[in-house]
Amino acid sequence: MQTEIGTSKHQRFIRIGAVILSVFVLIGVVFFATKQGANLDVPAIRIAVSKTPLSAPVFIADEMGFFDEYCSEVELIEVVGGRRSFEKMASGQADFATSSDSVIVYKSFARSDFVTLASFVHADNDVKFITREDMSLVQGKDFRYRKIAVTKGTASEYFLSTYLALEGVDRSEVTLVDTPPDKIPDVLASGEVDAIAPWEPYGYKTVQLLKGTANVLPTKNLYSLSFNLIGSKSNVQSQPQKAECVLHALSDAIDYISGNHSKTQEVIGRRLNLENDFIFWIWPDYIFKLSLNRSLIMGLQSQAEWVVQSGVIKDRGVPDFKEVVNPTPLAKVKPEAVSLLIQRSLSAVSEN
């Protein structure tokens, strides 16, 4: 009798233990699903990412596994320059791209089948104007009738044009030489051009290449560029969960960057094969923040008006940038990062 009672108690303990274990397993499954953002069904994602420290949030999200927490699979397609990144996205080789605001402006004159989903960094000293000391070119008027290397259709061209305009030099008075960003240091060193307008890290590489003979003109605060996440309009509309999971990861990456400067700099230096001295030199110029606000629209508008007035693009009106901005994914991921004015003025975008 006592044996039967003992056996019965033992069986009850086993059943209770099994129930408790099941509860903990269920809690774990729910937690895991929540942590994953229920995005295990999100298709594989390809991001064309420009190989610049401006893309740091994307590299950190990849390095630290933040993409894995929200997306099923993310592949980074590394390219040189935001223009090439955009072209990868536009051709269907990538779902998203990282590009500067200037690339958005230039591309908007020809197409409106893409959308800007968020800005994730701003910099007021990333593009520079560099010549050689032996040329004695120190102010705007000295550059009349000179050859200047830029990467056309990017922040490089807009930056140089802004500088020339402020110095009272017309674009027609200089010869612009369209040069791939990674070749810009070489054309100045070889004497093929008299000056260059590179973005980083090619400004730093130019200074290193010229070994003390580079003259970097003081242009800080002349132009504040933003780097942005861009996607195909149809892709974002049909599969918004792709954009949302990427934005979740970028948000976590930016939070990580703000509290781990040394580790972030080490990762970016290693991923882009950059010297520590360069990382330390440029880092204070960067402000990492996920946003989509009215200042972006105003900046795009201002650049577009300049493009039209200067004749860089002829026979075109200023694009309607409301057509290439979609605040809906970011508003779902991080509502406080989206300006209320943007949400109201662009409500039609999310309805299309």
Side-chain angles (χ1 to χ4, degrees), residues 195-309:
I196 59 175
W199 58 72
E200 298 297 355
Y202 304 109
Y204 180 82
K205 289 184 176 182
T206 300
V207 172
Q208 297 299 104
L209 182 63
L210 293 182
K211 298 178 180 179
T213 65
N215 178 27
V216 182
L217 276 68
T219 56
K220 183 177 173 62
N221 296 319
L222 175 62
Y223 164 52
S224 179
L225 67 80
S226 67
F227 230 53
N228 311 274
L229 181 69
I230 301 168
S232 160
K233 181 177 290 187
S234 60
N235 185 33
V236 172
Q237 290 175 344
S238 63
Q239 295 181 311
Q241 69 273 25
K242 280 187 173 184
E244 292 168 19
C245 82
V246 171
L247 290 169
H248 269 298
L250 293 184
S251 180
D252 283 3
I254 290 172
D255 289 342
Y256 180 89
I257 290 172
S258 68
N260 299 273
H261 291 278
S262 296
K263 179 60 177 178
T264 298
Q265 291 168 6
E266 182 273 320
V267 169
I268 299 306
R270 172 167 47 79
R271 295 284 296 250
L272 298 180
N273 193 28
L274 300 172
E275 299 176 15
N276 289 335
D277 288 345
F278 164 69
I279 297 293
F280 299 150
W281 180 45
I282 196 172
W283 208 253
D285 295 328
Y286 290 169
I287 300 175
F288 294 101
K289 183 180 179 181
L290 204 60
S291 66
L292 197 57
N293 52 42
R294 190 166 179 266
S295 64
L296 174 64
I297 297 292
M298 293 175 64
L300 298 175
Q301 183 83 16
S302 176
Q303 290 190 47
E305 290 173 354
W306 167 82
V307 168
V308 171
Q309 292 170 5

Side-chain angles (χ1 to χ4, degrees), residues 318-351:
V318 173
D320 181 0
F321 290 106
K322 294 190 295 295
E323 294 296 320
V324 293
V325 177
N326 186 346
T328 302
L330 183 57
K332 289 183 178 179
V333 171
K334 194 170 185 177
E336 66 274 18
V338 181
S339 164
L340 184 60
L341 291 174
I342 286 282
Q343 288 178 294
R344 287 174 177 171
S345 63
L346 302 187
S347 59
V349 174
S350 60
E351 295 172 359

